[in-house]
PDB file of all heavy atoms in Angstrom:
ATOM      1  N   LYS A 238      86.845  22.353  68.635  1.00 75.00           N
ATOM      2  CA  LYS A 238      87.782  21.264  68.916  1.00 75.00           C
ATOM      3  C   LYS A 238      88.572  20.911  67.655  1.00 75.00           C
ATOM      4  O   LYS A 238      89.780  20.666  67.717  1.00 75.00           O
ATOM      5  CB  LYS A 238      87.011  20.043  69.423  1.00 75.00           C
ATOM      6  CG  LYS A 238      87.909  18.924  69.932  1.00 75.00           C
ATOM      7  CD  LYS A 238      87.109  17.709  70.331  1.00 75.00           C
ATOM      8  CE  LYS A 238      86.261  17.938  71.543  1.00 75.00           C
ATOM      9  NZ  LYS A 238      85.619  16.682  72.014  1.00 75.00           N
ATOM     10  N   GLN A 275      90.106  30.490  38.201  1.00 89.00           N
ATOM     11  CA  GLN A 275      89.828  29.759  36.968  1.00 89.00           C
ATOM     12  C   GLN A 275      90.919  28.726  36.674  1.00 89.00           C
ATOM     13  O   GLN A 275      91.369  28.551  35.550  1.00 89.00           O
ATOM     14  CB  GLN A 275      89.680  30.725  35.788  1.00 89.00           C
ATOM     15  CG  GLN A 275      88.496  31.660  35.942  1.00 89.00           C
ATOM     16  CD  GLN A 275      88.305  32.574  34.754  1.00 89.00           C
ATOM     17  OE1 GLN A 275      89.167  32.688  33.892  1.00 89.00           O
ATOM     18  NE2 GLN A 275      87.155  33.236  34.693  1.00 89.00           N
ATOM     19  N   LEU A 297      81.122  41.946  44.564  1.00 69.00           N
ATOM     20  CA  LEU A 297      80.064  42.243  45.517  1.00 69.00           C
ATOM     21  C   LEU A 297      78.833  42.726  44.763  1.00 69.00           C
ATOM     22  O   LEU A 297      78.923  43.334  43.694  1.00 69.00           O
ATOM     23  CB  LEU A 297      80.532  43.317  46.508  1.00 69.00           C
ATOM     24  CG  LEU A 297      81.691  42.918  47.417  1.00 69.00           C
ATOM     25  CD1 LEU A 297      82.179  44.108  48.208  1.00 69.00           C
ATOM     26  CD2 LEU A 297      81.285  41.795  48.341  1.00 69.00           C
TER      27      LEU A 297
END
Side-chain angles (χ1 to χ4, degrees):
K238 188 184 292 187
Q275 296 183 348
L297 296 172

